[in-house]
Amino acid sequence: MISISKAELQRRLVCTNPEVVSYYKATGKSVTAVAGHYCNWEWAGAEFSIDTRLFVIYKPLTSHVFDSFFIKVRTRFGAIAVAMKQTLRTMVAHKNEFTVTVFAGDQTPIREQKNYFTQFLNQPTAVFQGIEKIAKLIDSAVIFYDMKRVKRGYYTYTIVPLVENSKESAEHEITEAHVKYLEVMIKREPQYWLWSHRRWKFKPEGAN
């Protein structure tokens, strides 16, 4: 990520169906993209930003040095890093443009926002609802990055449409869709998920 060239990145990481985003761009419908901490997820965002205006939503690190380093690395090929607290303001400012905004769907919500739990990998899990909130605000299509490891240092990703018209979706429909798709990926090849991520630090009220 620090030094790889565009050509080398595109040789090692291939999108199997780029026509999906081309279709949304042609129709002027912005896209909310969801990824997990799965396979080489950082590469996917970098490769996708080469030819597409991409907003990457991130949670700032407490260390300003490392935070600046990661922003520099993630935006090398044109991606625009947006701090999580600035997401709403940024989306409103660009709501009349075609944009792709990528979120990590398996982020743990902050304590004040842990008010929605769903079953994920056989246990109640607090889910960040900002993805659904933003998607409905701009009425975007919602897609998921399905990433696969081909061999050491080589990957593919497939764009999986989850919801076409966010404003017409039921409450929690978008949230449940991306959580369940990530679960499918993990069960398929569990070794590629970041299991060290503190995904279950919150429990529902009354749970032990």
Side-chain angles (χ1 to χ4, degrees):
M1 289 288 288
I2 298 172
S3 60
I4 195 170
S5 67
K6 289 181 181 180
E8 183 67 5
L9 179 60
Q10 290 180 312
R11 188 175 73 86
R12 289 176 172 271
L13 178 64
V14 176
C15 179
T16 65
N17 59 342
E19 66 278 3
V20 174
V21 172
S22 297
Y23 163 76
Y24 290 128
K25 187 173 184 178
T27 59
K29 194 170 191 65
S30 288
V31 174
T32 297
V34 188
H37 290 89
Y38 188 88
C39 273
N40 201 332
W41 68 88
E42 293 280 7
W43 275 18
E47 193 278 335
F48 200 77
S49 69
I50 292 175
D51 298 313
T52 305
R53 184 182 180 90
L54 184 73
F55 291 105
V56 178
I57 309 304
Y58 75 102
K59 186 182 293 184
L61 302 176
T62 53
S63 167
H64 294 299
V65 173
F66 279 104
D67 194 55
S68 297
F69 169 75
F70 277 109
I71 290 174
K72 182 178 179 180
V73 168
R74 288 168 174 164
T75 59
R76 280 188 62 218
F77 300 132
I80 301 168
V82 178
M84 193 170 287
K85 289 184 178 180
Q86 299 299 317
T87 305
L88 188 60
R89 180 180 299 175
T90 302
M91 293 301 95
V92 170
H94 296 274
K95 66 179 181 179
N96 295 321
E97 307 170 26
F98 173 77
T99 58
V100 178
T101 307
V102 62
F103 293 82
D106 50 2
Q107 287 277 24
T108 302
I110 61 175
R111 186 174 299 276
E112 293 76 18
Q113 297 177 359
K114 61 175 184 61
N115 55 0
Y116 183 72
F117 285 78
T118 190
Q119 284 296 114
F120 175 64
L121 295 177
N122 302 314
Q123 53 194 307
T125 305
V127 181
F128 173 62
Q129 296 184 81
I131 296 171
E132 179 167 322
K133 181 179 179 180
I134 296 299
K136 287 188 173 185
L137 175 69
I138 61 176
D139 195 24
S140 66
V142 181
I143 65 170
F144 200 99
Y145 284 99
D146 187 332
M147 200 167 190
K148 294 181 180 179
R149 180 180 183 269
V150 178
K151 60 182 179 179
R152 183 175 181 178
Y154 291 82
Y155 303 85
T156 64
Y157 67 92
T158 300
I159 297 168
V160 180
L162 296 181
V163 176
E164 188 76 12
N165 299 302
S166 295
K167 281 187 177 179
E168 298 176 7
S169 63
E171 186 178 13
H172 305 312
E173 180 181 344
I174 293 171
T175 301
E176 290 290 336
H178 73 72
V179 169
K180 297 309 178 189
Y181 198 91
L182 175 62
E183 186 175 60
V184 168
M185 285 173 51
I186 294 171
K187 288 182 176 179
R188 184 179 66 209
E189 292 183 295
Q191 67 270 31
Y192 298 128
W193 192 49
L194 187 65
W195 288 92
S196 60
H197 187 53
R198 291 186 65 199
R199 195 64 193 84
W200 293 284
K201 65 191 223 178
F202 298 126
K203 298 293 183 184
E205 294 293 333
N208 295 324

